[in-house]
Amino acid sequence: MIKDLFIKKTLAQLDEEANSNKHGLKRHLGLMNLTLLGIGSVIGAGIFVLTGTAAQMHAGPAIIFSFILSAFGCLLAGLCYAEFAAMIPLSGSAYTYSYATMGELMAWVIGWDLVLEYLFSTATVAVGWSGYVLSFLADFGIYLPASMAQSPFEYDQAGWHVTGAFINFPAVFIVVLLTALLVVGIKETVRFNNITVVIKVVVVLLFIGFGLSHIHPENWTPFIPQNTGVWGHYGWSGILTGSGVIFFAYIGFDAVSTTSQEAINPKRDLPLSILFSLLVCTVLYVGVSFVLTGMVNYKELNVAAPIALAIDRGGQGLRWLSPIIKIGTIAGLSSVILVTLLGQTRIFFSMAHDGLLWKCFAKTHSKFKTPHYSTLITGFFTALMAGIFPIGLLGELVSIGTLLAFAIVCIGILILRKTEPDAPRAFKTPWVPFVPVLGALVCFIQMLSLPIDTWLRLIIWMAIGFVIYFGYGRKHSVARKRNR
């Protein structure tokens, strides 16, 4: 009985699944589309939203170091993801990789963890999208009622507060709209993403270029604020905690790997798109955090639209840039919501095909060839989270889920090199075991730096997952039935 919990899928079985068309998904994505999907997911809340929150609450101007530390951990994990993506070109990302290396129970744990990651990531970005839309409308004298434009709850260092609002309507609206687009088809989704990625990269470069001349060096003093005596509140512990909080901003390459069954040449293109998107986005993240903390004092940055605030503070010299930045940011955040919604639906799709979730999640639309049931259910719960929860709480939950997924993938490479040393690898993680061991270690250290409340919420989430697994998934597991 215990042994059954760790039943694995062989590489041969996974390769057969990848080469068959029984899943009903169409292969439309080339290298450029995959790379833009990665950039579309990565350049979003990390730059446009959580940079300010993490600077004010944790690291101050040293948030730059937090981004560099997170990027280092992501590079290590990204190299491990690249090997898996080339070997196992199936939707499901770390969930599928865990099935091949650690068995079904761990695959369930990481799959359920990925649901947490994508659900709250999308909701986080939707709240940020709402903040920028409200800021943009205010420039034209249009104001939504406060009761319909913010979260009913607020969460800060003092705990929970009731805001008096009813729901964050703009956040709900964008999730519903993009859910509908995902149902229509992957080709339409990719076209929309490609356009918005170009727009937001241009916007980020404009902000960095013109913001440099409006930096006030005194805003960088002290560059590393003195720790207040509380772990994670400034000082070096704040840098470490900040890196954990913003870590979820790098999950774009994770989302790329969930589209394996829609890639034309996954064994070649997935590793390249993962590493390309990570490189481009790291450079832009560091540049934006440098300029942002130089333009506005870090103590004032805990807002839903920090870049919009910086532009407004720039005075007449930057006033012309304000609508461009805000439109570009709104478009950019839209693509992040789109890609992370896409990622979650493909995780559900893979788990349902393995029998671990209900069959409806594995059904594809007869006309659009998309997993429409999983898309609609995902959209509903994401909209609910975005409508009622504050951005800081959502971001912390995403980070711990992302870090756990990355750590498991790094460990999985060590296992696969031991159990399948001669398996063909289109891409090989360099310097094994150094890279995967260090990658897992960096992820675990950042997890330990996160607030204890975040750990408690992860434990509760996992407890709910175990109820579903032992109540349904274990009884309907396709792998278990195959081995009877």
Side-chain angles (χ1 to χ4, degrees):
M1 177 179 176
I2 299 297
K3 185 179 179 180
D4 287 347
L5 296 176
F6 299 97
I7 190 171
K8 298 178 182 179
K9 285 187 174 184
T10 66
L11 291 180
Q13 289 172 338
L14 292 169
D15 194 56
E16 181 184 348
E17 287 185 38
N19 292 324
S20 70
N21 195 35
K22 66 178 183 179
H23 294 84
L25 298 177
K26 291 184 177 180
R27 294 191 180 276
H28 289 296
L29 308 180
L31 177 60
M32 180 61 71
N33 287 331
L34 290 167
T35 302
L36 290 176
L37 279 174
I39 296 173
S41 180
V42 174
I43 299 181
I47 284 184
F48 298 125
V49 182
L50 283 188
T51 301
T53 301
Q56 193 276 333
M57 295 185 67
H58 300 294
I63 190 66
I64 294 172
F65 295 149
S66 298
F67 272 115
I68 293 173
L69 179 59
S70 286
F72 177 66
C74 282
L75 174 61
L76 298 173
L79 290 169
C80 296
Y81 261 96
E83 179 171 327
F84 269 127
M87 289 184 70
I88 309 173
L90 279 169
S91 298
S93 184
Y95 158 76
T96 301
Y97 310 154
S98 299
Y99 222 141
T101 56
M102 302 180 195
E104 184 174 282
L105 181 61
M106 184 54 71
W108 170 266
V109 168
I110 206 64
W112 190 243
D113 171 71
L114 288 171
V115 172
L116 171 75
E117 174 188 324
Y118 283 111
L119 173 64
F120 287 95
S121 173
T122 312
T124 302
V125 182
V127 175
W129 186 92
S130 173
Y132 277 93
V133 166
L134 294 174
S135 176
F136 178 74
L137 293 177
D139 290 343
F140 298 92
I142 302 172
Y143 300 92
L144 294 182
S147 61
M148 298 295 290
Q150 60 179 310
S151 303
F153 307 103
E154 187 61 62
Y155 182 78
D156 55 28
Q157 294 169 350
W160 287 94
H161 310 282
V162 177
T163 64
F166 176 67
I167 195 169
N168 190 335
F169 175 75
V172 173
F173 170 78
I174 187 61
V175 172
V176 171
L177 180 65
L178 295 181
T179 297
L181 179 61
L182 279 171
V183 170
V184 172
I186 187 68
K187 290 178 69 175
E188 291 73 17
T189 298
V190 167
R191 289 194 192 105
F192 176 84
N193 178 73
N194 291 350
I195 293 170
T196 55
V197 166
V198 171
I199 292 172
K200 67 180 172 183
V201 169
V202 170
V203 164
V204 168
L205 293 175
L206 285 174
F207 174 74
I208 294 173
F210 288 98
L212 284 170
S213 60
H214 291 77
I215 286 175
H216 304 284
E218 61 270 19
N219 287 330
W220 290 328
T221 305
F223 195 78
I224 303 178
Q226 185 176 357
N227 183 263
T228 60
V230 178
W231 175 271
H233 196 220
Y234 305 136
W236 285 102
S237 69
I239 292 172
L240 189 59
T241 300
S243 70
V245 169
I246 62 176
F247 198 91
F248 96 96
Y250 287 99
I251 67 172
F253 62 80
D254 183 281
V256 169
S257 66
T258 66
T259 63
S260 295
Q261 286 170 255
E262 290 150 290
I264 297 171
N265 189 355
K267 292 188 176 183
R268 185 201 69 180
D269 293 345
L270 284 171
L272 291 175
S273 61
I274 286 171
L275 298 176
F276 286 164
S277 59
L278 179 58
L279 175 63
V280 170
C281 296
T282 299
V283 172
L284 295 177
Y285 272 148
V286 172
V288 166
S289 58
F290 177 80
V291 173
L292 180 64
T293 55
M295 293 179 66
V296 181
N297 189 281
Y298 69 91
K299 295 180 181 179
E300 304 174 52
L301 285 175
N302 190 16
V303 295
I307 290 183
L309 174 65
I311 292 295
D312 292 340
R313 292 286 180 84
Q316 293 299 325
L318 284 180
R319 196 58 53 86
W320 66 273
L321 191 56
S322 180
I324 298 175
I325 290 289
K326 291 175 184 178
I327 291 174
T329 304
I330 291 167
L333 291 176
S334 299
S335 72
V336 179
I337 298 169
L338 185 70
V339 177
T340 49
L341 276 173
L342 172 69
Q344 176 160 350
T345 60
R346 271 46 179 182
I347 296 294
F348 276 149
F349 182 78
S350 294
M351 295 177 75
H353 258 289
D354 291 333
L356 302 185
L357 285 175
W358 296 274
K359 292 181 179 180
C360 65
F361 287 105
K363 292 183 178 180
T364 54
H365 194 279
S366 58
K367 177 181 179 181
F368 302 127
K369 301 301 179 183
T370 57
H372 55 300
Y373 283 119
S374 64
T375 301
L376 293 172
I377 294 170
T378 294
F380 171 79
F381 282 103
T382 302
L384 181 64
M385 297 296 103
I388 64 176
F389 287 122
I391 193 166
L393 173 67
L394 293 169
E396 289 180 0
L397 283 168
V398 174
S399 294
I400 197 167
T402 306
L403 287 163
L404 179 59
F406 286 4
I408 295 299
V409 168
C410 290
I411 295 170
I413 286 294
L414 294 173
I415 297 173
L416 200 61
R417 287 292 183 93
K418 186 72 174 178
T419 58
E420 298 282 352
D422 300 322
R425 289 168 166 84
F427 177 91
K428 294 184 70 172
T429 303
W431 305 308
V432 174
F434 173 76
V435 167
V437 169
L438 187 57
L441 185 61
V442 169
C443 292
F444 282 130
I445 290 174
Q446 288 181 290
M447 287 178 70
L448 291 173
S449 72
L450 290 170
I452 187 64
D453 288 352
T454 306
W455 278 91
L456 292 175
R457 295 179 195 115
L458 176 65
I459 292 170
I460 293 170
W461 179 260
M462 286 300 170
I464 295 171
F466 281 128
V467 170
I468 296 174
Y469 174 70
F470 287 102
Y472 179 87
R474 187 171 176 273
K475 300 175 183 177
H476 296 82
S477 167
V478 173
R480 192 183 305 276
K481 291 178 181 178
R482 186 189 296 126
N483 284 271
R484 281 178 182 171

